[in-house]
Amino acid sequence: TLPAPADVAATVTWTDPVDGSTARSAVVTLADLGLGALDALQLVRTDDVQAMTELDDRIIGHVLATAHPRADAVLTIQYRSAPSGHVPVFEASALLRPLRTLLTAARPLRATDLALANDARPDQNGTQFADRARIDAPHALLDALIADLGGYLTPLQALLADPVANRAALIGGVDTALDDAVALLERAASLGVAQSGWGFCLDWRAQTMRELYAAVRAFVQRCDARLAAFDAAIVDYDALPSATADPLRFSALQGAEAQVVAHLDALPATPAAMRAALPARRAALATKRDEAASVLMTDHLTLGAALAAANSILPVDDVDTETLDFAAFGDRAVTISSDLARALAAVAAIATTTAATVTAQLAAYAAATSAADQVTALTTAAQALFGEAFQFVPDFTVPTAQAGACNAGVAAGASGALTQYLKTTAGIADPVPEWATGLARVRPVLHAWESIGLLAPAFGRAEPQLTPAQLPYTAGDPWLAMQFPPDFAISSDRLLYTACHTVAFDATAHLCGLLIDEWTEVIPATTKDTGLAFQFDRPDNEAPQAILVVTPATGDGSWHWDDLVGAISETLDLAKIRTVEPADIDPTSYARLLPATTMAVTTHGISITTALAAVNGVMLAREVLDNA
């Protein structure tokens, strides 16, 4: 899918510091940097910002090693620019972005991924294979790196133990220390060791060289200005009238002399003698100026060479009133040496810890009693080496009883038999792309896959093709990912295994791959049997606690509907009056006033009644009072 590394390029530009106008450039491809597809996924940024990432470090280092720009040149990486026939890195990042998304979400394919959920068993994943050499090779490189880091740090740390006494050795060896540190850190970065960026080494040397040259250039510019002022003063002196007094002549000559010396000498006997001596003074300043200019014009490959050349023009105390001293650059060399020792010691510690983890996992691999445990050990070792996000993909085999069905299912998808109904009856010309396009709207990983398919042709690469498979496959069955014949009855679960095969699929051989997405779907049925449940009170075995007895309100021998409705309504009204239970009333003084029951009563004998008042003698007592 990705363009060839030799076709992906960036352009590095700079201006020659000598003349300040000559533009230079160099083209750097991923192949020039020795990077492959996985390296590109890890290193290529998705923006156009130069921020001294590892890719920036590698590009700058390659240009310095091959194009040899001056050490003080400012290099600019143009990721959007590439010569004809090449793909700019920035454009390639459009394809790398979805690829990175896809691989981040993926996991290694397993044998159980080719089985129905109810049929998958853990023991089916036992037939995994991984070559230990895939870990032994980088492990050996890591051990060699640790040894070389120790060889680098031991003499450097010995010098830094007494930086004052060893100042000259530290300054003289700073370029070697920088170059060796860059080489070691680049190796560490290739092995995934954290904190192994080396851009600071390249940046420090370039910045220090620029500031050193700037100090020399400032001296040259001061010399040019003073020489010009001297020449103008001599012209003015030579134009003085012949009658000019000696004091004025001496003053004019001292003004000219002050432009080319740091300290004025005693006046000679005559102005003529002083005038005759000044050209030699001018020549001394001009010589220093030319020596400094030679430092600027020379392409010093190392800081040590540039610093030695700058020191060769010293001292300038006799010709320049401003102090010119390069001791601060020596101090910087001592400081960066200390920084290098700390940085590489930290890398060595991380590498040592990583190596110990890998060694332990390789021991676990040797002691493992199953292929699955061996793969687990190698996976852990690989992620310790290259980071937790690293995908270590083992081989596996499909169980023999399942292999034939897998081959048949994939063959049906590849031949078009599986999607025949969709093409011939449903009228869908390309069922698989249409299915994938629909899912890409709601599945982020499949959206990344769709982006890869759309962008690949723009980079001259073939669009990856998906092959559908349906397991278990029965001849004549339609593909259930999309619409299927209305008379087709789904009698069991199906596994829809849609894959991009880089080689012809053969379930009887060793397989490996990445599972980028999976989900479960339920196909709605056209009919559904519905069950209803009812809950009702069963007959109680306990006698009713209340009985409503209604008798006719008239004695005509008939029931009247209005009488029944009225009796029920009255009963409900009376029930509302009793909003408390007898237990709530009995303890109170209201118990004597409110009887436990409320019922209709009549004294006229028109209906059956429980005349409690008559029983209690209330009516009789009233009659007695009435007759008295």
Side-chain angles (χ1 to χ4, degrees), residues 601-621:
V601 63
T602 177
T603 59
H604 300 290
I606 60 176
S607 176
I608 299 174
T609 180
T610 54
L612 297 180
V615 173
N616 291 334
V618 174
M619 296 302 296
L620 180 61

mmCIF file of all heavy atoms in Angstrom, residues 601-621:
data_model
loop_
_atom_site.group_PDB
_atom_site.id
_atom_site.type_symbol
_atom_site.label_atom_id
_atom_site.label_comp_id
_atom_site.label_asym_id
_atom_site.label_seq_id
_atom_site.Cartn_x
_atom_site.Cartn_y
_atom_site.Cartn_z
ATOM 1 N N VAL A 601 -80.165 2.558 59.123
ATOM 2 C CA VAL A 601 -81.151 2.217 60.130
ATOM 3 C C VAL A 601 -82.472 2.946 59.817
ATOM 4 O O VAL A 601 -82.454 4.033 59.242
ATOM 5 C CB VAL A 601 -80.642 2.617 61.535
ATOM 6 C CG1 VAL A 601 -80.451 4.118 61.635
ATOM 7 C CG2 VAL A 601 -81.614 2.151 62.623
ATOM 8 N N THR A 602 -83.558 2.333 60.150
ATOM 9 C CA THR A 602 -84.874 2.977 59.983
ATOM 10 C C THR A 602 -85.778 2.535 61.129
ATOM 11 O O THR A 602 -85.644 1.432 61.650
ATOM 12 C CB THR A 602 -85.507 2.597 58.637
ATOM 13 O OG1 THR A 602 -86.805 3.192 58.551
ATOM 14 C CG2 THR A 602 -85.605 1.100 58.464
ATOM 15 N N THR A 603 -86.672 3.406 61.538
ATOM 16 C CA THR A 603 -87.605 3.085 62.629
ATOM 17 C C THR A 603 -89.026 2.877 62.096
ATOM 18 O O THR A 603 -89.972 2.739 62.876
ATOM 19 C CB THR A 603 -87.621 4.213 63.659
ATOM 20 O OG1 THR A 603 -88.016 5.423 63.007
ATOM 21 C CG2 THR A 603 -86.260 4.370 64.292
ATOM 22 N N HIS A 604 -89.137 2.834 60.747
ATOM 23 C CA HIS A 604 -90.483 2.768 60.171
ATOM 24 C C HIS A 604 -90.807 1.399 59.609
ATOM 25 O O HIS A 604 -91.847 1.214 59.005
ATOM 26 C CB HIS A 604 -90.631 3.820 59.073
ATOM 27 C CG HIS A 604 -90.411 5.221 59.588
ATOM 28 N ND1 HIS A 604 -91.309 5.876 60.438
ATOM 29 C CD2 HIS A 604 -89.394 6.094 59.382
ATOM 30 C CE1 HIS A 604 -90.837 7.076 60.728
ATOM 31 N NE2 HIS A 604 -89.658 7.238 60.078
ATOM 32 N N GLY A 605 -89.970 0.440 59.752
ATOM 33 C CA GLY A 605 -90.278 -0.920 59.339
ATOM 34 C C GLY A 605 -90.407 -1.108 57.858
ATOM 35 O O GLY A 605 -91.072 -2.040 57.404
ATOM 36 N N ILE A 606 -89.760 -0.261 57.093
ATOM 37 C CA ILE A 606 -89.880 -0.404 55.640
ATOM 38 C C ILE A 606 -88.806 -1.318 55.078
ATOM 39 O O ILE A 606 -88.808 -1.655 53.890
ATOM 40 C CB ILE A 606 -89.780 0.966 54.960
ATOM 41 C CG1 ILE A 606 -88.440 1.629 55.281
ATOM 42 C CG2 ILE A 606 -90.931 1.859 55.385
ATOM 43 C CD1 ILE A 606 -88.238 2.933 54.554
ATOM 44 N N SER A 607 -87.836 -1.715 55.920
ATOM 45 C CA SER A 607 -86.768 -2.583 55.425
ATOM 46 C C SER A 607 -86.174 -3.334 56.598
ATOM 47 O O SER A 607 -86.374 -2.962 57.766
ATOM 48 C CB SER A 607 -85.679 -1.735 54.744
ATOM 49 O OG SER A 607 -84.617 -2.554 54.340
ATOM 50 N N ILE A 608 -85.432 -4.419 56.235
ATOM 51 C CA ILE A 608 -84.713 -5.134 57.273
ATOM 52 C C ILE A 608 -83.618 -4.240 57.789
ATOM 53 O O ILE A 608 -82.883 -3.631 57.034
ATOM 54 C CB ILE A 608 -84.124 -6.447 56.718
ATOM 55 C CG1 ILE A 608 -85.255 -7.352 56.211
ATOM 56 C CG2 ILE A 608 -83.294 -7.156 57.764
ATOM 57 C CD1 ILE A 608 -84.767 -8.611 55.513
ATOM 58 N N THR A 609 -83.490 -4.139 59.124
ATOM 59 C CA THR A 609 -82.498 -3.231 59.693
ATOM 60 C C THR A 609 -82.023 -3.766 61.020
ATOM 61 O O THR A 609 -82.729 -4.526 61.678
ATOM 62 C CB THR A 609 -83.071 -1.818 59.868
ATOM 63 O OG1 THR A 609 -82.066 -0.988 60.424
ATOM 64 C CG2 THR A 609 -84.272 -1.825 60.793
ATOM 65 N N THR A 610 -80.802 -3.412 61.348
ATOM 66 C CA THR A 610 -80.276 -3.717 62.683
ATOM 67 C C THR A 610 -80.417 -2.447 63.487
ATOM 68 O O THR A 610 -79.533 -1.581 63.483
ATOM 69 C CB THR A 610 -78.804 -4.154 62.617
ATOM 70 O OG1 THR A 610 -78.066 -3.170 61.920
ATOM 71 C CG2 THR A 610 -78.663 -5.482 61.895
ATOM 72 N N ALA A 611 -81.541 -2.292 64.125
ATOM 73 C CA ALA A 611 -81.856 -1.064 64.856
ATOM 74 C C ALA A 611 -81.144 -1.095 66.192
ATOM 75 O O ALA A 611 -81.716 -1.475 67.218
ATOM 76 C CB ALA A 611 -83.350 -0.923 65.023
ATOM 77 N N LEU A 612 -79.853 -0.775 66.182
ATOM 78 C CA LEU A 612 -79.060 -0.809 67.409
ATOM 79 C C LEU A 612 -79.577 0.194 68.428
ATOM 80 O O LEU A 612 -79.513 -0.041 69.635
ATOM 81 C CB LEU A 612 -77.586 -0.506 67.074
ATOM 82 C CG LEU A 612 -76.899 -1.528 66.154
ATOM 83 C CD1 LEU A 612 -75.461 -1.095 65.905
ATOM 84 C CD2 LEU A 612 -76.945 -2.916 66.763
ATOM 85 N N ALA A 613 -80.080 1.324 67.939
ATOM 86 C CA ALA A 613 -80.601 2.328 68.873
ATOM 87 C C ALA A 613 -81.793 1.771 69.652
ATOM 88 O O ALA A 613 -81.938 1.994 70.864
ATOM 89 C CB ALA A 613 -80.981 3.587 68.113
ATOM 90 N N ALA A 614 -82.647 0.988 68.925
ATOM 91 C CA ALA A 614 -83.802 0.395 69.601
ATOM 92 C C ALA A 614 -83.343 -0.661 70.580
ATOM 93 O O ALA A 614 -83.865 -0.777 71.702
ATOM 94 C CB ALA A 614 -84.754 -0.195 68.565
ATOM 95 N N VAL A 615 -82.333 -1.423 70.145
ATOM 96 C CA VAL A 615 -81.848 -2.480 71.032
ATOM 97 C C VAL A 615 -81.270 -1.883 72.310
ATOM 98 O O VAL A 615 -81.441 -2.400 73.404
ATOM 99 C CB VAL A 615 -80.795 -3.342 70.296
ATOM 100 C CG1 VAL A 615 -80.148 -4.326 71.246
ATOM 101 C CG2 VAL A 615 -81.444 -4.060 69.155
ATOM 102 N N ASN A 616 -80.610 -0.802 72.184
ATOM 103 C CA ASN A 616 -79.962 -0.181 73.351
ATOM 104 C C ASN A 616 -80.947 0.632 74.198
ATOM 105 O O ASN A 616 -80.553 1.263 75.183
ATOM 106 C CB ASN A 616 -78.819 0.720 72.904
ATOM 107 C CG ASN A 616 -77.668 -0.102 72.327
ATOM 108 O OD1 ASN A 616 -77.510 -1.264 72.687
ATOM 109 N ND2 ASN A 616 -76.895 0.518 71.438
ATOM 110 N N GLY A 617 -82.255 0.713 73.791
ATOM 111 C CA GLY A 617 -83.259 1.408 74.602
ATOM 112 C C GLY A 617 -83.271 2.897 74.415
ATOM 113 O O GLY A 617 -83.917 3.614 75.165
ATOM 114 N N VAL A 618 -82.559 3.384 73.410
ATOM 115 C CA VAL A 618 -82.515 4.826 73.208
ATOM 116 C C VAL A 618 -83.884 5.345 72.781
ATOM 117 O O VAL A 618 -84.379 6.354 73.286
ATOM 118 C CB VAL A 618 -81.439 5.182 72.165
ATOM 119 C CG1 VAL A 618 -81.495 6.678 71.829
ATOM 120 C CG2 VAL A 618 -80.072 4.800 72.677
ATOM 121 N N MET A 619 -84.508 4.632 71.847
ATOM 122 C CA MET A 619 -85.807 5.082 71.350
ATOM 123 C C MET A 619 -86.854 5.015 72.456
ATOM 124 O O MET A 619 -87.734 5.878 72.544
ATOM 125 C CB MET A 619 -86.229 4.223 70.148
ATOM 126 C CG MET A 619 -85.303 4.373 68.969
ATOM 127 S SD MET A 619 -85.183 6.079 68.391
ATOM 128 C CE MET A 619 -86.889 6.341 67.867
ATOM 129 N N LEU A 620 -86.793 3.961 73.282
ATOM 130 C CA LEU A 620 -87.766 3.828 74.370
ATOM 131 C C LEU A 620 -87.625 4.984 75.357
ATOM 132 O O LEU A 620 -88.623 5.576 75.803
ATOM 133 C CB LEU A 620 -87.561 2.496 75.091
ATOM 134 C CG LEU A 620 -88.517 2.240 76.263
ATOM 135 C CD1 LEU A 620 -89.993 2.220 75.795
ATOM 136 C CD2 LEU A 620 -88.181 0.899 76.945
ATOM 137 N N ALA A 621 -86.428 5.343 75.663
ATOM 138 C CA ALA A 621 -86.227 6.461 76.600
ATOM 139 C C ALA A 621 -86.742 7.752 76.005
ATOM 140 O O ALA A 621 -87.298 8.611 76.724
ATOM 141 C CB ALA A 621 -84.727 6.591 76.921
#
